[in-house]
């Protein structure tokens, strides 16, 4: 990007429906704004400048966006970010595109800050604010039938946490039943539970092992070679599941009347798989590629990844090597800064903190207890691990196979007044559980899956607060504090700060 105004455009304008809409949004920022030097004077009526028109519908490679910790960059293997891709087009009936909830300048998702700015700019009338999933209650009137303050109330979860409402009913033949609903918005029932979740980022999908928080778009394929060791659970290529997801999202979130064409699906998936995003500048440490560090998005292109790489339980699926807990190695070259104990340079001290945080992420002992999907499945009450026991994909940080876990995020004890609470009863044992989101269980119908969710890819995490599937952790310090309390890790204040510094540099 050549101008700050172009960056602000993307922050304030999440829906880039087509060439005309993009030109209108561009001209509304500043008279002299530009996406790059070549298109600074172009507009919709300038049909004589093919080069400028072409460039006005793309973002330059290494597109940068600021966040509270520094600057993120996105690299596309296509050489630029193509705003003419169907990803940015309004293909539904309510004015939305994929980019409505996956904004380049907001970590390819949405953040409360960005949503609030858009609300103020459009007075809550942008297509993002639609009852189907943007409102707390889908029966809410269309925004143009509400006052400004009524809109603020109706879309409070979207405004305050960047949460989209996902509606899923109780599965047929489930091992449990819904016995009570406490929904502050008066809608949820057995037919459709209201689940408030963060949109997942549409970048770094090379490292994806499961699609959606509850893995509901992840499908099994008996002919696939992506199989869990020792089982018959074999999974479709992620590209297949992303194709299905793109169509379902268009039919649901964009309220399209028809399926996407195969060409549109392929174009969207190819676009998503071309994107790599990571923090490239830190407010304190400066360049995250300096002194042989491997921050930033371009190193991700060369990073190895395949199904089952460095699996925690079985070891590496291809090499047979045992699980290596030293998952993160981006800042190995900065370990030497910790030897300069008397250095007064702020940059050196910040780089030393990031290196210490990486070491803590890899090696700080954690006694893992009470995690469904791990302790119960392995019949191990206590597992001696580290952060990388679950975040085992090298320099990416998610799990390299589909393993949804319950670490307690949706427990009733963590419920806030803005979240629904559901009481579920086991049909066989009579046991009850209260949860704000049953998670994977609404897909499988299995009691053991209540509260289970996949872990996200951690790169570019600084750009997309708040955190966890429900947006319940406002910032990275809150994330670290949750784990410290949940597993009684005993982190010192310095260790907590170092972990935050490392996570912010991913």
């Amino acid at each position: 990007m050549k101008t700050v105004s172009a960056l602000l455009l993307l922050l304030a304008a999440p829906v880039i429906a087509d060439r005309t809409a993009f030109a209108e949004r561009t001209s509304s920022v500043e008279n002299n704004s530009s996406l790059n030097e070549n298109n600074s004077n172009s507009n919709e009526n300038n049909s004589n400048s093919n080069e400028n028109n072409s460039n006005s519908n793309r973002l330059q490679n290494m597109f940068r966006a600021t966040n509270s910790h520094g600057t993120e960059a996105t690299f596309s293997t296509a050489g630029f970010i193509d705003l003419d891709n169907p990803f940015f087009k309004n293909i539904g009936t309510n004015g939305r595109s994929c980019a409505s909830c996956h904004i380049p300048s907001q970590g390819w998702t949405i953040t409360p800050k960005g949503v609030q700015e858009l609300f103020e700019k459009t007075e809550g009338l942008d297509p993002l604010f639609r009852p189907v999933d943007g409102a707390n209650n889908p029966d809410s009137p269309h925004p143009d039938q509400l006052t400004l303050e009524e809109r603020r109330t109706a879309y409070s979860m979207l405004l305050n946490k960047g949460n989209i409402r996902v509606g899923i009913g109780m599965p047929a033949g489930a091992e449990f039943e819904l016995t009570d609903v406490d929904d502050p918005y008066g809608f949820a029932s057995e037919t459709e539970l209201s689940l408030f979740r963060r949109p997942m980022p549409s970048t770094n999908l090379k490292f994806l092992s499961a699609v959606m928080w509850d893995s509901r778009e992840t499908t099994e394929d008996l002919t696939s070679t992506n199989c869990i060791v020792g089982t018959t659970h074999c999974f479709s290529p992620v590209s297949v599941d992303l194709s299905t997801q793109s169509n379902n999202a268009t039919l649901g979130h964009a309220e399209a009347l028809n399926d996407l064409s195969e060409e549109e699906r392929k174009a969207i998936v190819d676009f998503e798989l071309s994107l790599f995003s990571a923090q490239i500048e830190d407010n304190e440490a400066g360049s995250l590629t300096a002194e042989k560090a491997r921050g930033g998005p371009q190193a991700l292109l060369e990073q190895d990844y395949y199904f089952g790489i460095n699996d925690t339980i079985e070891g590496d699926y291809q090499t047979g090597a045992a699980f290596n807990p030293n998952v993160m190695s981006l800042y190995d070259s900065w370990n030497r800064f910790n030897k300069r104990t008397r250095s007064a340079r702020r940059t050196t001290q910040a780089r030393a903190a990031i290196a210490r945080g990486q070491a803590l992420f890899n090696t700080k002992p954690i006694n893992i207890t009470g995690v469904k999907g791990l302790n119960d499945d392995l019949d191990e009450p206590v597992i001696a691990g580290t952060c990388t026991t679950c975040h085992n994909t090298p320099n990416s940080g998610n799990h390299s196979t589909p393993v949804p876990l319950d670490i307690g995020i949706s427990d009733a004890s963590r419920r806030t007044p803005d979240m629904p609470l559901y009481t579920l009863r086991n049909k066989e044992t009579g046991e009850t559980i209260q949860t704000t989101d049953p998670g994977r269980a609404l897909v499988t119908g299995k009691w053991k899956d209540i509260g289970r969710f996949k872990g996200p890819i951690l790169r570019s995490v600084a750009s997309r607060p708040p955190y966890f599937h429900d947006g319940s952790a406002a910032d990275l310090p809150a994330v670290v504090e949750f784990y410290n309390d949940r597993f009684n890790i005993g982190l010192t204040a310095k260790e907590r700060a170092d972990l935050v510094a490392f996570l912010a540099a991913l």
Side-chain angles (χ1 to χ4, degrees):
M1 297 296 294
K2 299 294 184 182
T3 64
V4 174
S5 55
L7 177 60
L8 293 175
L9 169 66
L10 268 296
L11 283 165
V15 182
I16 304 174
D18 53 25
R19 183 172 302 185
T20 300
F22 184 66
E24 289 172 350
R25 288 173 184 264
T26 303
S27 63
S28 71
V29 181
E30 291 183 10
N31 291 333
N32 66 346
S33 67
S34 62
L35 284 176
N36 55 49
E37 288 180 334
N38 289 333
N39 72 12
S40 60
N41 296 317
S42 67
N43 56 55
E44 186 182 29
N45 296 323
N46 188 2
S47 59
N48 295 324
S49 178
N50 291 330
E51 180 180 6
N52 285 345
N53 275 339
S54 173
N55 288 338
S56 69
N57 291 289
R58 63 177 61 176
L59 298 177
Q60 290 182 340
N61 226 355
M62 295 300 287
F63 167 78
R64 296 188 175 214
T66 58
N67 53 58
S68 61
H69 294 276
T71 303
E72 171 206 75
T74 294
F75 181 91
S76 170
T77 56
F80 60 91
I81 297 170
D82 182 11
L83 300 177
D84 278 330
N85 188 278
F87 184 93
F88 294 95
K89 293 185 179 297
N90 167 19
I91 307 178
T93 61
N94 60 13
R96 286 179 174 176
S97 69
C98 301
S100 296
C101 295
H102 301 280
I103 304 175
S105 58
Q106 296 177 40
W108 295 90
T109 176
I110 52 176
T111 64
K113 180 177 183 292
V115 172
Q116 291 162 16
E117 289 173 353
L118 183 63
F119 185 92
E120 296 303 323
K121 178 180 179 180
T122 67
E123 297 187 339
L125 296 175
D126 184 90
L128 177 63
F129 305 102
R130 292 294 178 264
V132 60
D133 56 14
N136 303 335
N137 184 328
D139 289 338
S140 174
H142 191 279
D144 61 12
Q145 300 174 31
L146 301 173
T147 67
L148 183 62
E149 290 309 309
E150 286 173 337
R151 290 173 209 151
R152 290 188 199 280
T153 300
Y155 292 86
S156 63
M157 290 295 279
L158 185 57
L159 286 164
N160 297 331
K161 292 184 175 178
N163 282 345
I164 291 291
R165 193 196 70 87
V166 178
I168 301 179
M170 290 285 290
E175 298 174 352
F176 54 89
E177 59 187 353
L178 180 66
T179 62
D180 189 54
V181 176
D182 180 8
D183 180 6
Y185 313 111
F187 175 79
S189 69
E190 184 178 69
T191 303
E192 184 175 327
L193 283 70
S194 288
L195 314 166
F196 292 94
R197 298 175 180 172
R198 300 280 292 120
M200 303 207 75
S202 54
T203 185
N204 297 325
L205 301 190
K206 164 186 173 179
F207 304 101
L208 202 63
S209 62
V211 181
M212 310 304 285
W213 284 110
D214 55 12
S215 304
R216 67 182 182 276
E217 300 283 8
T218 299
T219 57
E220 295 198 16
D221 178 0
L222 293 177
T223 67
S224 172
T225 59
N226 292 338
C227 307
I228 302 294
V229 169
T231 76
T232 58
H233 292 295
C234 302
F235 297 91
S236 303
V238 166
S239 59
V240 172
D241 293 334
L242 288 174
S243 175
T244 303
Q245 186 273 333
S246 68
N247 187 60
N248 289 342
T250 304
L251 294 172
H253 301 306
E255 299 181 279
L257 300 180
N258 300 297
D259 289 337
L260 293 174
S261 68
E262 289 300 321
E263 293 76 13
E264 289 170 326
R265 293 192 195 194
K266 184 177 186 305
I268 290 172
V269 173
D270 287 349
F271 172 78
E272 292 175 326
L273 290 173
S274 77
L275 301 175
F276 294 86
S277 301
Q279 198 82 342
I280 196 166
E281 295 276 347
D282 182 84
N283 288 337
E284 303 295 328
S287 171
L288 296 174
T289 61
E291 303 284 350
K292 298 183 180 180
R294 292 184 292 120
Q298 288 174 289
L300 289 172
L301 277 70
E302 307 301 324
Q303 180 65 51
D304 285 340
Y305 174 76
Y306 44 81
F307 188 90
I309 189 172
N310 198 39
D311 183 69
T312 308
I313 308 302
E314 301 294 340
D316 193 288
Y317 279 22
Q318 289 193 13
T319 69
F323 166 66
N324 181 0
N326 292 311
V327 167
M328 297 296 188
S329 59
L330 300 170
Y331 300 105
D332 284 355
S333 66
W334 286 3
N335 286 329
R336 68 183 184 277
F337 293 129
N338 281 298
K339 299 176 182 178
R340 304 178 186 178
T341 56
R342 293 182 177 274
S343 174
R345 288 187 60 204
R346 187 178 71 174
T347 298
T348 299
Q349 293 175 351
R351 290 174 181 176
I354 289 171
R356 292 194 304 269
Q358 176 179 271
L360 288 166
F361 192 86
N362 288 334
T363 66
K364 182 69 175 181
I366 302 175
N367 288 324
I368 301 171
T369 59
V371 175
K372 288 193 294 183
L374 196 58
N375 294 99
D376 54 349
D377 284 3
L378 297 178
D379 196 24
E380 293 283 350
V382 181
I383 296 173
T386 70
C387 295
T388 59
T389 300
C390 297
H391 300 277
N392 62 19
T393 301
N395 292 322
S396 166
N398 58 313
H399 208 98
S400 65
T401 59
V403 183
L405 302 174
D406 176 14
I407 60 173
I409 299 299
S410 62
D411 285 359
S413 61
R414 300 189 76 249
R415 188 227 184 161
T416 49
D418 57 353
M419 293 289 285
L421 185 68
Y422 302 103
T423 303
L424 306 174
R425 187 182 73 86
N426 187 304
K427 292 179 180 178
E428 182 176 344
T429 68
E431 180 185 358
T432 61
I433 289 179
Q434 287 189 312
T435 179
T436 58
D437 190 331
R440 179 74 178 154
L442 290 182
V443 179
T444 66
K446 295 184 179 298
W447 178 256
K448 70 175 185 178
D449 287 339
I450 294 173
R452 290 191 185 186
F453 299 89
K454 60 164 273 184
I457 294 167
L458 296 183
R459 299 309 296 273
S460 190
V461 70
S463 288
R464 54 178 195 266
Y467 302 104
F468 299 132
H469 71 269
D470 58 357
S472 58
D475 50 29
L476 291 176
V479 172
V480 172
E481 197 59 42
F482 167 80
Y483 283 103
N484 191 42
D485 292 344
R486 167 66 175 81
F487 295 105
N488 298 310
I489 303 173
L491 295 169
T492 66
K494 181 179 180 181
E495 287 176 325
R496 291 196 295 270
D498 289 345
L499 275 169
V500 169
F502 168 66
L503 292 171
L506 287 176

